[in-house]
Amino acid sequence: MKTNHYETVTDVVVIGGGLAGYAAAIEAAQQGAEVVLLEKQAECGGSSVLSGGFFAFAGTDIQQAAGINDSNELLYDDIRRAGQQQNDEALVRTYVENQIAAYRWVLQQGGKFTSVELAAGHSAPRAHSLRPQDFMQALAQRAIETGRVKTVLNAQAERLLRDSARSRVDGVSATIEGQCANIRARRGVVLAAGGFSRNEAMLKLFVPHQARCVRYGGYGNTGDGVRMAWGLGAGLRDVAHIKGTFGFHPDAATVQGRDWTKLAVYRGAIAVNKQAQRFVDESKSYKLLGDAVLAQPDAMAYQIFDQDIMDTASDTAPPFKFREALALGRLLTEPTLEAIARRVGIDPAALAATVERYNHFVRNGTDEEFGRTGLSSGYGKRVELKRGPWYAYPSTSGLIATYCGVTVDTETRVLDVFGEPIAGLFSAGEMTGGFHGVAYMTGSSLGKCVIFGRIAGRNAASFSAL
């Protein structure tokens, strides 16, 4: 029961305690603003702490030390290609122009990258991996150290406040520990409240074809921010392009935990359905692979690979932690291809024929079935599958994040349905649309949170109603 209505005033209000929210809060504080950050859950982190911890940066010193050639131009082309040219060019260009500064900012805030990986949508290895839980803890400490950020947990934001349809957004109405509160902003309000992977009604409204996905993502990701902005007339982008992530273990539907996604396909594995048939070019974005697996019987597939690919496992990058998955019993292994087929319940002869056909394509240089040319987006050399023991990772599509939402410009101002800014309202992170387009390049989501979160915090701190 809600009791005791009260009101407080600050300079900037940030709604959402994930990566984008903290980036905005810290940046606003460094601009001299007093900030109140509201998080509806009992702890911060949102979907950021459930992610693989990949950031897409190009031309970094880590890449250079590893002999990896990458550039702004290649990064821009890859993001646009992953989005099938449906993403906003100006937003992508803003990302690219700010990505090295964002890389340095992550390091300055205490982020520690452990490796650089090749991942979905990359034509060069650029997925800079860190442990997201550790980084979020570091950001929380940085926010405290500013002396200007007050983080309020168990704070359910409910309505944006403004005096009239023509006036600026000047705060938010929220329920905090059962009490009604208005938190007013002298300057700007930043929405960084995540997506709606946990809102069944919104998913059915926008993408009913994703109903077979395993639901995942932060428990607070129920679309609050999108709906609050929508209620003020905000435009929406990319809602029809919501896709799950391939490589999600089906047990994640009933068992809590992290690191359910494994992507052996980007090390050279093949994906087969219950008929032991390949059904897609495995080097595509795992969002497109997610759609492909939903069209298979029971929305199920198996990533099949041999010991040579197992030997490429990483112990730091979650999608490639094959040894950990094996120890947990999620990755299955048998000494022969026939035995692994029987283990997962598919026809051994059919699987043997599929593997031999694939190996033939590798030897001849042309994938006559699906046109696969590399490990990811044409990068990397395909390998034959031939050395036991053999491995299988049961895989479906998991809806971790929605990667769409309110329309924003390059200054992160929320735009209404007519393309006009809603005064005083900024947005960043998963709940914004326009950046990704049709699909998603690995690492661009966390990178986007930092880049546009910082821009939002800076602009909210400098916003004036005059």
Side-chain angles (χ1 to χ4, degrees):
M1 182 176 179
K2 301 175 184 178
T3 60
N4 302 330
H5 192 283
Y6 68 92
E7 186 160 309
T8 188
V9 181
T10 187
D11 291 325
V12 172
V13 178
V14 176
I15 302 170
L19 178 54
Y22 265 113
I26 292 169
E27 189 71 18
Q30 291 174 342
Q31 300 298 314
E34 298 292 331
V35 181
V36 172
L37 185 151
L38 303 177
E39 167 55 47
K40 70 183 285 189
Q41 299 297 107
E43 59 183 6
C44 290
S47 292
S48 299
V49 297
L50 297 174
S51 74
F54 285 143
F55 290 75
F57 297 130
T60 66
D61 51 1
I62 298 176
Q63 287 177 304
Q64 291 166 8
I68 299 168
N69 293 319
D70 203 357
S71 66
N72 280 5
E73 292 72 21
L74 196 58
L75 175 62
Y76 176 87
D77 289 343
D78 283 352
I79 296 173
R80 290 279 285 150
R81 185 182 304 109
Q84 296 183 15
Q85 313 301 317
Q86 298 300 305
N87 33 9
D88 187 319
E89 290 183 65
L91 293 178
V92 176
R93 183 59 66 191
T94 299
Y95 181 105
V96 170
E97 291 171 350
N98 288 275
Q99 58 96 18
I100 284 295
Y103 166 72
R104 297 186 183 118
W105 185 87
V106 171
L107 295 175
Q108 290 164 0
Q109 308 312 310
K112 298 178 180 179
F113 293 115
T114 56
S115 65
V116 179
E117 308 287 347
L118 178 70
H122 296 182
S123 53
R126 69 167 66 94
H128 293 65
S129 176
L130 54 66
R131 192 169 185 272
Q133 304 97 314
D134 293 344
F135 185 49
M136 290 304 299
Q137 290 175 4
L139 289 181
Q141 182 59 36
R142 289 291 186 274
I144 293 171
E145 291 169 358
T146 68
R148 294 178 178 274
V149 178
K150 179 182 179 182
T151 299
V152 184
L153 302 176
N154 299 305
Q156 171 70 61
E158 296 176 344
R159 295 286 190 277
L160 295 169
L161 301 175
R162 60 178 175 178
D163 292 334
S164 71
R166 304 292 296 176
S167 60
R168 75 179 181 96
V169 174
D170 67 351
V172 62
S173 174
T175 298
I176 302 173
E177 300 288 358
Q179 298 186 30
C180 296
N182 288 344
I183 298 91
R184 296 283 182 176
R186 300 184 190 93
R187 303 182 190 177
V189 174
V190 178
L191 284 172
F196 49 92
S197 60
R198 296 282 186 177
N199 187 315
E200 197 71 15
M202 291 180 73
L203 292 173
K204 287 180 178 178
L205 174 64
F206 295 123
V207 282
H209 64 284
Q210 294 292 337
R212 301 176 87 187
C213 278
V214 175
R215 301 287 186 271
Y216 212 62
Y219 283 106
N221 282 23
T222 55
D224 304 343
V226 173
R227 288 185 291 113
M228 284 190 289
W230 197 9
L232 299 190
L236 299 179
R237 282 286 304 265
D238 298 341
V239 291
H241 300 319
I242 295 170
K243 292 176 173 60
T245 293
F246 177 71
F248 219 65
H249 196 289
D251 285 356
T254 56
V255 182
Q256 297 303 310
R258 292 190 67 257
D259 299 346
W260 288 103
T261 305
K262 296 293 170 279
L263 292 167
V265 288
Y266 298 135
R267 294 290 203 249
I270 60 172
V272 303
N273 60 21
K274 286 191 168 184
Q275 280 73 50
Q277 301 298 314
R278 290 176 67 219
F279 55 90
V280 72
D281 171 359
E282 296 92 344
S283 72
K284 289 184 175 181
S285 164
Y286 51 65
K287 295 299 180 182
L288 299 178
L289 301 185
D291 270 2
V293 76
L294 291 181
Q296 304 310 305
D298 299 325
M300 270 295 299
Y302 304 93
Q303 295 180 66
I304 304 294
F305 56 103
D306 68 355
Q307 186 60 41
D308 285 338
I309 293 174
M310 184 66 174
D311 289 344
T312 71
S314 167
D315 291 327
T316 56
F320 307 116
K321 287 184 175 180
F322 307 147
R323 285 181 285 267
E324 179 184 78
L326 183 65
L328 291 171
R330 298 173 189 162
L331 177 63
L332 309 176
T333 186
E334 292 291 344
T336 66
L337 184 60
E338 177 182 359
I340 199 66
R342 295 189 187 283
R343 178 80 176 273
V344 299
I346 60 180
D347 181 67
L351 181 60
T354 293
V355 170
E356 176 49 40
R357 182 169 174 79
Y358 179 76
N359 287 344
H360 170 75
F361 294 154
V362 172
R363 289 191 297 269
N364 285 5
T366 302
D367 180 354
E368 297 175 11
E369 286 185 312
F370 300 102
R372 184 178 189 178
T373 59
L375 303 184
S376 175
S377 300
Y379 183 94
K381 185 178 180 181
R382 294 173 302 150
V383 293
E384 292 186 59
L385 308 176
K386 55 186 179 181
R387 183 168 76 94
W390 292 81
Y391 300 88
Y393 193 75
S395 301
T396 185
S397 183
L399 197 58
I400 303 173
T402 42
Y403 303 122
C404 67
V406 299
T407 307
V408 295
D409 63 13
T410 58
E411 297 300 315
T412 71
R413 297 179 298 179
V414 176
L415 307 179
D416 67 17
V417 293
F418 302 107
E420 297 296 324
I422 299 175
L425 187 61
F426 305 84
S427 186
E430 183 190 340
M431 65 166 284
T432 60
F435 177 76
H436 295 294
V438 173
Y440 164 75
M441 188 194 78
T442 296
S444 61
S445 181
L446 293 185
K448 178 184 76 169
C449 286
V450 169
I451 290 167
F452 292 102
R454 295 183 69 203
I455 293 172
R458 186 160 56 247
N459 289 337
S462 63
F463 179 77
S464 172
L466 299 178

